[in-house]
C-alpha cells in the first residue's frame, strides 16, 4: 500500500510517501480500506514531535478515517461494512490513517448506517466527537447554552456551532483573521470577534451576563484568564488539546495549575469507546443527513497533497475541515 511515513519529527517535508507492507490481520484488530480522512491539527503536533514519548518513530500518523472493513479480526464486524475509526492511540501508539489501509483496535471502530458520501462522512468523526465531548463536559448539551469558542476558525468551532444552534443556544467565535469572519457567520456562529488578545469586554456587549461555557484549544495563560473571566457563576471552561506544540513547553507550563480549578475541565479523546460512542456518531450522521448539522468542509484534497496541506494548516489558512479523498 501507499502511505505517508514520518521517520523522525520535523516540518511537513518529513511526510514521506512510499510503498509499505499492508497491515496484517490480527485478532481483535480491524483492517480498514480507507476511503477518506479528515486533517487535524493534532497530526501536525505529532509530526513535529510534540506528542512526546507517546509516539515512537517511524510512524504513519493520522487520527481518524472512514472506509470499509477488509478484515474484522474475529470481532462482531464484517468485511465490507462501512465504518469510521477515530482517536484513541490511532496514529500515535500504532499506525494511523495517512495510508490506503489501516489496522486499528475494535474499540476505536464505529460502525454506522449512512448513505453520506465519503467526503462528508470523513469530515465528522474526530470533529463532532470532540465538539460533543466538550459540550458534554461543560453541561452544554441541554438548555440554551452561550458558548465562547476559541479559536472559532476551526472545524471544531463550526461543529460546536451546529450542535448549540440545534439546542437554540448561541456560539461566539474568536479569530485573529478578519477574512475568516464571513465563513464563521455562514457556518452558524451568532457573532465573531476578531482579536489576538482579550475579548471579554466585547463579548459581554452581546452577553452581559457572560458565557455559560468556554471551549479553548489555544490554552495559553492569556486565553484561559480571559475565558475564565467571562464565565457566569457555575459555568465551565473546557480545554480541548492545545495549539502549542506541547503542554510541557515553558510558556505553557503554568497552564497545568489551571486544571485544578473546579470550573475547568479537559476533553480527551482517550475516553472514546465504540461500546458507548457509536450511538453518538450515528446521531451526528443522521442529523447531517437530515440537514440539521452541516459538516463545514473547507477543502477536499488528494492524498498526495498532504505535505502542502500541513504547511497551509500551520499557516492557519483553513477555516473548517480539510478532507483527504482516497475514494476515487
Amino acid at each position: 500500500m501507499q502511505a505517508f511515513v514520518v521517520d523522525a519529527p520535523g516540518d511537513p517535508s518529513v511526510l514521506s510517501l512510499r510503498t509499505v507492507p499492508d497491515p496484517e490481520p490480527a485478532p481483535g484488530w480491524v483492517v480498514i480500506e480507507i476511503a477518506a480522512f479528515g486533517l487535524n491539527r493534532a497530526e501536525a503536533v505529532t509530526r513535529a514531535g510534540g506528542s512526546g514519548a507517546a509516539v515512537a518513530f517511524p510512524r504513519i500518523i493520522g487520527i481518524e478515517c472512514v472506509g470499509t472493513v477488509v478484515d474484522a479480526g474475529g470481532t462482531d464486524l464484517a468485511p465490507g461494512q462501512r465504518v469510521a475509526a477515530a482517536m484513541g492511540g490511532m496514529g500515535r501508539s500504532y499506525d494511523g490513517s495517512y495510508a490506503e489501509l489501516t489496522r486499528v483496535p475494535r474499540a476505536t471502530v464505529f460502525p454506522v448506517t449512512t448513505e453520506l458520501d465519503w467526503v462528508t462522512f470523513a469530515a465528522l468523526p474526530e470533529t463532532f466527537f470532540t465538539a460533543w465531548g466538550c459540550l458534554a463536559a461543560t453541561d452544554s448539551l441541554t438548555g440554551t447554552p452561550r458558548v465562547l469558542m476559541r479559536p472559532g476558525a476551526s472545524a471544531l468551532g463550526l461543529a460546536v456551532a451546529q450542535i448549540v444552534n440545534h439546542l437554540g443556544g448561541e456560539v461566539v467565535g474568536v479569530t485573529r483573521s478578519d477574512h475568516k469572519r464571513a465563513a464563521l457567520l455562514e457556518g452558524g456562529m451568532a457573532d465573531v470577534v476578531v482579536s489576538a488578545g482579550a475579548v471579554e469586554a466585547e463579548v459581554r456587549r452581546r452577553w452581559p451576563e457572560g458565557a455559560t461555557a468556554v471551549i479553548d484549544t489555544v490554552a495559553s495563560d492569556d486565553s484561559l484568564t480571559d475565558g475564565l473571566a467571562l464565565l457566569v457563576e457555575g459555568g465551565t471552561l473546557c480545554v480541548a488539546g492545545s495549539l502549542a506544540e506541547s503542554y510541557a513547553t515553558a510558556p505553557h507550563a503554568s497552564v497545568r495549575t489551571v486544571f485544578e480549578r473546579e470550573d475547568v475541565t479537559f476533553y480527551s479523546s482517550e475516553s472514546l469507546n465504540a461500546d458507548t460512542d457509536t450511538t453518538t456518531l450515528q446521531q451526528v450522521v443522521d442529523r447531517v443527513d437530515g440537514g440539521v448539522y452541516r459538516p463545514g468542509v473547507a477543502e477536499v484534497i488528494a492524498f498526495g497533497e498532504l505535505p502542502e496541506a500541513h504547511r497551509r494548516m500551520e499557516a492557519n489558512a483553513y477555516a473548517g475541515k480539510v478532507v483527504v479523498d482516497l475514494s476515487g
Side-chain angles (χ1 to χ4, degrees):
M1 69 175 182
Q2 292 288 294
F4 277 96
V5 182
V6 178
D7 293 303
D11 66 25
S13 68
V14 302
L15 288 164
S16 174
L17 180 61
R18 58 182 185 255
T19 300
V20 299
D22 291 356
E24 296 183 0
W29 290 68
V30 181
V31 179
I32 300 169
E33 181 179 4
I34 297 173
F37 61 86
L39 192 66
N40 298 283
R41 179 76 66 160
E43 293 151 4
V45 172
T46 298
R47 186 215 72 230
S51 296
V55 180
F57 295 95
R59 175 66 69 215
I60 299 171
I61 63 174
I63 65 173
E64 65 173 325
C65 69
V66 296
T68 53
V69 174
V70 174
D71 185 280
T75 70
D76 58 314
L77 301 178
Q81 192 166 3
R82 181 177 283 215
V83 297
M87 301 191 279
M90 191 173 177
R92 292 171 176 159
S93 302
Y94 47 87
D95 286 340
S97 62
Y98 283 22
E100 294 175 320
L101 297 164
T102 191
R103 185 186 68 187
V104 296
R106 171 65 181 90
T108 61
V109 181
F110 306 88
V112 298
T113 301
T114 178
E115 296 300 322
L116 292 175
D117 63 84
W118 286 120
V119 167
T120 301
F121 188 18
L124 305 179
E126 188 277 342
T127 297
F128 275 86
F129 272 140
T130 303
W132 200 278
C134 291
L135 291 170
T138 58
D139 293 323
S140 299
L141 289 174
T142 58
T144 53
R146 301 188 302 275
V147 181
L148 179 75
M149 183 70 223
R150 177 185 253 134
S154 64
L156 174 60
L158 294 174
V160 167
Q162 301 297 308
I163 297 170
V164 171
N165 288 350
H166 186 232
L167 294 169
E170 290 187 340
V171 174
V172 171
V174 181
T175 180
R176 293 177 296 176
S177 305
D178 186 65
H179 71 273
K180 295 181 179 180
R181 180 196 294 270
L184 299 185
L185 293 172
E186 173 64 22
M189 292 192 177
D191 201 358
V192 177
V193 178
V194 179
S195 175
V199 300
E200 181 198 358
E202 188 166 351
V203 174
R204 283 191 183 276
R205 284 197 282 271
R206 183 179 187 91
W207 299 334
E209 302 87 354
T212 60
V214 174
I215 299 173
D216 187 340
T217 69
V218 177
S220 69
D221 290 338
D222 290 342
S223 71
L224 293 172
T225 299
D226 191 43
L228 289 168
L230 185 60
L231 285 176
V232 300
E233 184 176 355
T236 306
L237 184 150
C238 180
V239 176
S242 175
L243 298 186
E245 289 187 357
S246 168
Y247 283 120
T249 57
H252 291 263
S254 62
V255 167
R256 298 177 185 177
T257 62
V258 173
F259 297 156
E260 299 173 3
R261 295 177 54 128
E262 292 184 359
D263 54 357
V264 175
T265 187
F266 186 87
Y267 174 77
S268 170
S269 64
E270 300 300 319
S271 63
L272 271 182
N273 189 284
D275 289 340
T276 55
D277 294 300
T278 297
T279 300
T280 297
L281 184 57
Q282 184 67 63
Q283 188 171 352
V284 168
V285 164
D286 290 345
R287 288 180 179 175
V288 171
D289 191 44
V292 177
Y293 296 164
R294 291 177 288 168
V297 177
E299 190 169 329
V300 181
I301 66 170
F303 189 48
E305 298 177 78
L306 262 172
E308 178 58 27
H310 267 243
R311 293 184 185 95
R312 295 193 66 196
M313 179 167 58
E314 292 186 333
N316 297 314
Y318 299 118
K321 192 74 170 182
V322 177
V323 175
V324 182
D325 185 8
L326 289 78
S327 64

